[in-house]
Amino acid sequence: MATSLKSLSAHSSKNVQDISDKTFGIIVSEWNEDVTEALYSGAYQTLIENGAKKENIIRKNVPGSFELTLAAQWLAQEESIDAVICLGCVIQGETKHFDFICDAVAHGITNVSLKYNKPVIFGVLTPNTQQQAMDRAGGKHGNKGDEAAITAVKMLGF
């Protein structure tokens, strides 16, 4: 959780191992594209800075956050993929749609990770406002994409 005391981009180097031979799938929701592109930039850059090779980072786009789970399953079932990072943004609206989508995506991503026994990372913002999303996509609270990427790296070193 990002607060004025903790940035999403800050992380320790504990459990960070050589990832030069690892392949990462990054799935990016097209909904709230200005936010999700910033999340992707953060995740991609964090992987590169930690030793991932450009050719070992596979990007796939999906229409919205709900579709992240099926796309994650498709990538996770590939033996060549070591970890999957799911990036999306669901902003609270006036209806319960937000609750249903967030719940389904969180459970779906968890289930894919357990089914394929590999890291499938929840890099989905669930803010109340567009500004809160931007604050967590490279703004004053760091970048959830950075956090998602380093989580994948650390889980591979578990």
Side-chain angles (χ1 to χ4, degrees):
M1 180 174 72
T3 68
S4 60
L5 302 176
K6 172 103 172 103
S7 170
L8 292 167
S9 298
H11 61 273
S12 76
S13 58
K14 292 179 187 174
N15 212 30
V16 174
Q17 298 184 11
D18 180 16
I19 60 168
S20 61
D21 65 340
K22 302 296 184 188
T23 300
F24 297 85
I26 304 178
I27 307 165
V28 183
S29 168
E30 294 171 347
W31 196 258
N32 293 310
E33 188 174 31
D34 53 338
V35 176
T36 60
E37 286 301 319
L39 295 176
Y40 173 76
S41 294
Y44 181 85
Q45 193 58 42
T46 297
L47 291 175
I48 295 297
E49 288 171 2
N50 281 277
K53 295 178 182 170
K54 291 179 183 181
E55 61 270 18
N56 291 346
I57 301 172
I58 299 163
R59 177 187 171 144
K60 299 289 185 179
N61 290 353
V62 294
S65 291
F66 188 79
E67 291 76 29
L68 289 169
T69 57
L70 181 56
Q73 181 170 291
W74 287 340
L75 286 182
Q77 71 187 5
E78 297 293 327
E79 289 185 30
S80 63
I81 303 285
D82 296 293
V84 178
I85 300 167
C86 300
L87 301 174
C89 178
V90 184
I91 300 173
Q92 176 70 57
E94 297 176 1
T95 68
K96 292 185 177 192
H97 180 75
F98 172 88
D99 299 320
F100 293 119
I101 296 298
C102 294
D103 186 58
V105 173
H107 282 96
I109 289 171
T110 299
N111 289 338
V112 172
S113 187
L114 295 172
K115 179 178 180 178
Y116 291 98
N117 201 32
K118 60 176 70 174
V120 180
I121 309 303
F122 183 84
V124 180
L125 291 174
T126 57
N128 291 318
T129 66
Q130 178 76 22
Q131 185 58 55
Q132 287 177 347
M134 296 307 293
D135 289 346
R136 290 154 179 82
K140 69 181 181 180
H141 292 303
N143 191 319
K144 181 76 170 175
D146 296 353
E147 180 191 56
I150 202 65
T151 299
V153 170
K154 288 184 171 207
M155 289 304 293
L156 288 173
F158 183 78

